[in-house]
Amino acid sequence: KSLGQETPKFVCTGGGSDANHLVGLPVSVMDGCGPKSGRYHSEEEYLAVDSLRQRFELLYETIREIAGR
């Protein structure tokens, strides 16, 4: 909220990710924090460049908050 953004929703999606390789380990994984994008793995795949800074700031503040605990 301090960044003027919506509070992210943390959910289990069961989607495909390299994070799946860590499923048996006692660690937490942050995934899906990248820029807004869509139509993955197609000729119409895109990335919303204007979302890069917003997502970076969100990830940075989240890590900073966790590290401060």
Side-chain angles (χ1 to χ4, degrees), residues 2-69:
S2 66
L3 297 172
Q5 301 178 28
E6 286 185 33
T7 302
K9 295 176 182 152
F10 297 96
V11 297
C12 295
T13 63
S17 164
D18 289 338
N20 290 337
H21 298 289
L22 304 174
V23 71
L25 301 175
V27 298
S28 297
V29 176
M30 286 178 43
D31 194 11
C33 298
K36 295 177 183 177
S37 56
R39 299 188 182 169
Y40 309 109
H41 309 298
S42 74
E43 291 184 19
E44 294 86 28
E45 185 170 357
Y46 68 91
L47 177 139
V49 175
D50 63 342
S51 71
L52 286 170
R53 183 173 187 88
Q54 176 188 39
R55 294 300 173 106
F56 171 80
E57 289 173 350
L58 176 62
L59 185 57
Y60 175 80
E61 289 298 327
T62 301
I63 292 170
R64 203 171 83 130
E65 181 75 23
I66 291 168
R69 290 183 186 174

